[in-house]
């Protein structure tokens, strides 16, 4: 097998695909994968199943070797004992990439499963075939239409196009996250579930995505790094983090969780404290919960880097201002007192009942213009590294115009994130802002942790640039 990210183009940008295990039977894995490709993939599709001459209007072939044209990628979803023979055929055909969806290998903990997996590796090496899997969902590529996630659209919605690429050792978690992202209007570039990773692993994938111009941030769910690959993973991660952020959620943190990971994907979860130290060395941002994964991704993808930890808060609700002050202070941020000259400037433009001390309270009779005027005065100040805006849409003076005002404020090149709490109106406001690259959070605590992630990454980048 080739080393590193060499040969991975066959997975993400194939011109032709053979689907082994394709079937016309409703609800079967082989049919759903075939339907996915018919819907999204623009290249040539070759169903393979000796029982059929035609499936869903496409000519079906008994074996991969019977296909009369070149095949770049083979997707295999048949019982594990039959996989080695298919891989031999693919090797003789000159196929360069194989996604093995099938389970029943090393993860079973049986001698038979282990032997089958070793056979797969042996054949792949013999023919130079790169392998993703086995025991995985494979790839969802929002640009080329490669979609081996064997979950129908009505069960797992596909997100819109975006710049987040996601690598996951867990197929179920990957599919749940994509469904959640689609529901929450968050775009995805490429998603990869690699299962037992007998060949292509975390190192290869971050190297590939690190060079990918359609990936702005890499998000990872890992249970364990392959034995002997830890040092290389950290070297590659650090190299990539100098250009684009990597967010990792590490599963199998406890002794019991490690045992669960071993039976899930045969992963060696390892000592969690060692992983934590290694993540810091490599400049990887660790998310500790499901919420943090996307909270961090949103701010890291859309906001400029911070120069320091000084934060100003502007809100239309005094209580939210106090909550933000506590949450930001707890995360180590400094909320500087408003300097006298800025207080004077603000008092000249604000009604007397507004609070000009940081956190600045525009009060419940604020309108769009009041936000704009105050933020225009605060953001250019050299002692402001970021602004958190509490913009509760329930107040009468706030209209859709404020979205355009917030977008205009990007011209100052400083991070600005929004707190927005409420029901339908708040959700509409959130969608409009996030569509225009301004992250919105539903609680002061989540906003503070997300800003901390941006701050940590900013400091890594600053240190590396010196």
């Amino acid at each position: 097998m080739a080393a590193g990210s060499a040969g991975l183009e066959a997975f993400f940008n194939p011109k032709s695909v053979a689907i082994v295990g394709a079937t016309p039977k409703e609800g079967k894995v082989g049919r759903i994968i075939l339907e996915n490709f018919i819907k999204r993939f623009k290249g040539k599709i070759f169903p393979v199943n000796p029982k059929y001459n035609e499936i869903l209007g496409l000519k079906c072939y008994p074996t991969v070797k019977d296909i009369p044209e070149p095949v770049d990628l083979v997707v295999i979803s048949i019982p594990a004992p039959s996989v080695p023979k298919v891989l031999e055929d693919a090797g003789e055909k000159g196929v360069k990439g194989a996604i093995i969806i099938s389970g029943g290998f090393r993860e079973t903990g049986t001698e038979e499963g282990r032997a089958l997996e070793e056979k797969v590796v042996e054949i792949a090496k013999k023919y130079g075939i790169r392998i993703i899997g086995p025991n995985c969902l494979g790839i969802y590529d929002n640009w080329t239409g490669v979609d081996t996630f064997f979950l129908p659209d009505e069960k797992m919605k596909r997100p819109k196009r975006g710049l987040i690429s996601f690598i996951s050792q867990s197929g179920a978690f990957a599919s749940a996250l994509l469904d959640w992202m689609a529901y929450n209007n968050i775009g995805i570039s490429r998603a990869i579930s690699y299962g037992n990773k007998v060949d292509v692993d975390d190192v290869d994938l971050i190297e590939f995505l690190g060079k990918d111009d359609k990936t702005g941030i890499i998000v990872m769910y890992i249970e364990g790094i392959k034995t002997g690959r830890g040092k290389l993973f950290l070297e590659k991660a650090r190299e990539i983090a100098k250009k684009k952020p990597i967010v990792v959620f590490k599963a199998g943190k406890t002794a019991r969780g490690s045992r669960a990971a071993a039976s899930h994907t045969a992963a060696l979860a390892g000592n969690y404290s060692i992983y934590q130290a290694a993540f810091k060395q490599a400049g990887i941002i660790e998310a500790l919960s499901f919420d943090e994964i996307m909270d961090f991704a949103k701010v890291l993808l859309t906001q400029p880097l911070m120069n320091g930890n000084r934060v100003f808060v502007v809100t239309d609700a005094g209580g939210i201002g106090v909550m933000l002050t506590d949450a930001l202070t707890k995360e180590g941020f400094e909320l500087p007192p408003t300097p006298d000259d800025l207080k004077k400037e603000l008092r000249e433009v604000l009604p007397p009942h507004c609070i000009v001390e940081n956190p600045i309270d525009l009060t419940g009779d604020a309108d769009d213009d009041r936000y704009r005027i105050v933020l225009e005065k605060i953001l250019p100040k050299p002692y402001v590294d970021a602004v958190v805006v509490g913009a509760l849409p329930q107040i009468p003076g706030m209209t859709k115009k404020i979205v355009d005002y917030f977008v205009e404020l990007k011209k100052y090149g400083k991070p600005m994130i929004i707190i927005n709490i409420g029901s339908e109106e708040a959700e509409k406001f959130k969608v409009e802002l996030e569509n225009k690259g301004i992250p919105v959070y539903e609680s002061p605590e989540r906003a503070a942790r997300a800003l901390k992630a941006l701050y940590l990454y900013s400091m890594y980048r600053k240190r590396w640039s010196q």
Side-chain angles (χ1 to χ4, degrees):
M1 289 179 275
S5 60
L8 298 200
E9 279 294 328
F11 295 107
F12 296 97
N13 196 25
K15 291 184 172 56
S16 56
V17 177
I19 299 169
V20 180
T23 173
K25 294 180 182 175
E26 294 272 0
K28 296 293 183 183
V29 170
R31 170 158 177 150
I32 296 168
I33 292 174
L34 181 58
E35 287 177 330
N36 290 345
F37 274 87
I38 290 171
K39 279 180 204 166
R40 303 183 174 93
F41 185 62
K42 302 302 180 193
K44 293 183 177 177
I45 305 166
F46 304 109
V48 176
N49 190 326
K51 296 178 183 172
Y52 303 100
N53 294 318
E54 175 265 325
I55 301 175
L56 302 180
L58 296 172
K59 179 174 173 52
C60 186
Y61 297 89
T63 72
V64 174
K65 286 198 294 186
D66 293 314
I67 298 169
E69 299 182 50
V71 174
D72 293 332
L73 174 66
V74 62
V75 181
I76 304 173
S77 62
I78 56 175
S82 302
V83 171
K85 174 65 172 69
V86 170
L87 211 54
E88 279 278 358
D89 289 350
E92 291 178 18
K93 178 72 180 169
V95 175
K96 294 303 178 190
I99 299 175
I100 304 176
I101 305 295
S102 318
F105 295 86
R106 181 166 42 105
E107 80 282 359
T108 62
T110 64
E111 183 56 32
E112 183 187 8
R114 186 190 60 77
L116 270 174
E117 191 163 297
E118 288 177 356
K119 187 69 177 170
V120 163
V121 172
E122 177 189 325
I123 297 167
K125 283 181 178 173
K126 176 180 171 184
Y127 291 102
I129 305 174
R130 299 304 308 264
I131 303 281
I132 287 183
N135 183 32
C136 69
L137 285 184
I139 290 175
Y140 176 73
D141 190 312
N142 226 349
W143 302 94
T144 61
V146 172
D147 183 0
T148 66
F149 278 40
F150 55 84
L151 304 160
D153 288 7
E154 62 271 22
K155 294 280 189 181
M156 189 201 90
K157 301 213 176 328
R158 271 61 177 174
K160 66 180 182 180
R161 282 181 177 171
L163 294 174
I164 298 173
S165 284
F166 180 53
I167 302 169
S168 178
Q169 205 159 352
S170 165
F173 183 69
S175 59
L177 184 68
L178 260 60
D179 195 29
W180 181 90
M181 289 174 74
Y183 183 75
N184 285 279
N185 195 39
I186 299 172
I188 190 88
S189 179
R190 312 180 200 275
I192 306 106
S193 150
Y194 53 51
N196 291 9
K197 52 182 175 183
V198 296
D199 172 25
V200 176
D201 68 357
D202 315 86
V203 179
D204 305 327
L205 289 168
I206 63 168
E207 185 178 0
F208 178 83
L209 295 173
K211 298 172 186 168
D212 177 28
D213 61 5
K214 290 188 167 52
T215 295
I217 180 170
I218 300 170
V219 176
M220 304 180 73
Y221 166 97
I222 62 170
E223 293 175 357
I225 301 295
K226 200 188 286 185
T227 302
R229 299 275 282 176
K231 185 180 176 190
L232 187 58
F233 173 77
L234 293 175
E235 288 173 0
K236 292 289 180 190
R238 182 167 181 164
E239 184 182 318
I240 292 156
K242 289 176 181 174
K243 300 172 189 166
K244 58 182 79 172
I246 301 174
V247 174
V248 169
F249 180 88
K250 166 74 174 75
K253 298 182 179 75
T254 62
R256 187 66 187 86
S258 295
R259 290 202 295 277
S263 62
H264 178 214
T265 56
L268 296 173
N271 185 310
Y272 175 51
S273 60
I274 294 174
Y275 272 95
Q276 282 186 302
F279 292 159
K280 285 179 184 170
Q281 281 181 18
I284 292 171
I285 303 299
E286 185 186 7
L288 296 176
S289 68
F290 178 83
D291 289 339
E292 287 188 355
I293 293 173
M294 276 304 131
D295 285 353
F296 292 2
K298 284 195 300 188
V299 74
L300 288 163
L301 185 62
T302 60
Q303 295 305 294
L305 299 178
M306 295 176 71
N307 288 322
N309 73 340
R310 298 162 298 179
V311 180
F312 269 69
V313 171
V314 178
T315 179
D316 57 19
I320 293 296
V322 176
M323 291 169 72
L324 273 167
T325 301
D326 282 341
L328 289 162
T329 302
K330 188 178 171 188
E331 295 299 333
F333 288 106
E334 180 187 348
L335 276 75
T338 308
D340 288 343
D341 58 341
L342 179 56
K343 280 182 183 171
K344 184 171 181 295
E345 284 185 59
L346 294 175
R347 283 184 179 129
E348 286 173 356
V349 295
L350 288 174
H353 62 274
C354 291
I355 309 297
V356 296
E357 186 57 86
N358 187 20
I360 295 165
D361 184 4
L362 306 183
T363 73
D365 66 345
D367 58 14
D368 306 328
D369 279 329
R370 196 178 291 175
Y371 272 101
R372 179 182 59 78
I373 291 166
V374 169
L375 289 167
E376 288 273 10
K377 290 190 175 296
I378 292 172
L379 279 163
K381 304 298 185 196
Y383 47 78
V384 177
D385 296 312
V387 174
V388 181
V389 180
L392 303 188
Q394 292 84 10
I395 63 170
M398 188 180 293
T399 72
K400 288 182 178 176
K401 202 162 62 174
I402 200 169
V403 174
D404 296 328
Y405 287 164
F406 287 157
V407 173
E408 284 176 21
L409 295 166
K410 288 183 178 182
K411 63 188 176 188
Y412 292 109
K414 290 187 180 175
M416 185 176 71
I417 64 176
I418 309 294
I419 302 292
N420 172 38
I421 304 168
S423 58
E424 288 90 350
E425 192 62 26
E427 185 60 25
K428 286 180 197 168
F429 185 52
K430 176 185 172 184
V431 170
E432 284 200 44
L433 282 167
E434 294 199 332
N435 278 342
K436 294 181 177 177
I438 299 175
V440 178
Y441 298 93
E442 294 175 352
S443 78
E445 295 76 18
R446 287 175 65 173
R449 288 195 295 273
L451 196 64
K452 179 67 175 292
L454 180 64
Y455 173 72
L456 286 176
Y457 182 64
S458 302
M459 294 304 104
Y460 288 140
R461 291 280 297 264
K462 191 173 185 178
R463 192 171 71 227
W464 292 330
S465 67
Q466 290 170 346

